[in-house]
Amino acid sequence: MLNRSTNRNLEKSRKNNFILVNMKKTILIIIVAMTAAMTAKAQEALAVLTHGTTTKTFTGYYALRNAYASAVDGDLITLSSGTFGATNLAKTITIRGAGMRYDPTYNTQPTILDGDFSLIVPDASTGNVQIEGIYHGGIIYYNNYTQRSPKFIKCRLSRFWPGSFTGSDGKNYTGAIKDAQFLHCRISYEVVCNSSSSMTFINSFVRHPQTRNKSTSNLTLHNCVVDATYNSNSAIYSNFSYDDGSHYNVHLYSSSFTNCILVNTSSYTVYWGSYTSFVKCLLPSNWNPNLSSYWNYSKLADIFSTYDGAYGDTQAFLLTDDAKKKYKDEFGREVGLNGGSFPYSYHVAGPHIKSMQVSPRSTADGKLNIKMQIENTGY
């Protein structure tokens, strides 16, 4: 068991790994993007590619794909609100959207990626793919042997699955992923952790998580709400077998849950094994894992003030006042995705434009004066 000092250091380290905002670069991007947007069609999606101190702008449904085609490893692509055609990601770049949902605080609409796409960055690469502030309703596949540590921050995703590929030996394989990290995310349908893979979720909602190997599929979840309800419409659930041939309906082997709330609204059994642990977690009353420390609850209304097991993108997963007082982590903070060191928020980090004044005409040397008031927000 780690001591409190070690836990605090680990939490600080996680936060530092996630917060990668360069303020000067972001402000420059906003100014360039807003200037370019004045000449673009109203409501048209805008992508700004930043490479060092240079920028390029792209507009329309294929703006992300065109920006990505011009990008190299280490570049940043900033997306406006709007809908963009998704593209496979084989370069170690950062994609930063306007948010996963409408934000009334800043009156911004979400950034939507349309269509399935694959992560195909090998573990041998330096750097990683990072995606922030997007809404995606399709499937994200991880292909091409082992993927290297992608990061998802404040994203609403639907399905996260291992993809198939053909190896150099001509055989067909399914992809693996190393150290995938999800902060303040929502998985609305399903996430599958393949053999020789590892994923970490922090202050997120995770629906239908699965591990495909009893010992080498490693899921780690901190301060999450986890819907482990059996989904009879999912072919993966009904046909899936572990590597050793065993078959289960819902499977959470090789998983570590800390300060989480797990939900199961069906009568199907959830399976775990010797590699699974629950620490300061809330479990349904019919679960008796005899592993680590946990509490049991009889009905969701005793825990949540509004959540009844039916997922919605705007669901806040707020605890009742009694639950907040009764169920706490080792530092006295509430469990679930609104507790811990990084309480959930869908607001995207970085500068937001509060006001802007544009000169009615350009100067003699062709420049256009723009004055903006920018307010910074954190995670």
Side-chain angles (χ1 to χ4, degrees), residues 173-184:
Y173 298 89
T174 56
I177 198 163
K178 177 182 179 181
D179 299 330
Q181 299 180 54
F182 301 80
L183 173 69
H184 293 184

Side-chain angles (χ1 to χ4, degrees), residues 56-76:
K56 294 181 181 179
T57 58
F58 305 83
T59 58
Y61 178 80
Y62 296 106
L64 171 59
R65 297 182 187 179
N66 294 333
Y68 177 80
S70 298
V72 297
D73 290 344
D75 282 356
L76 168 67

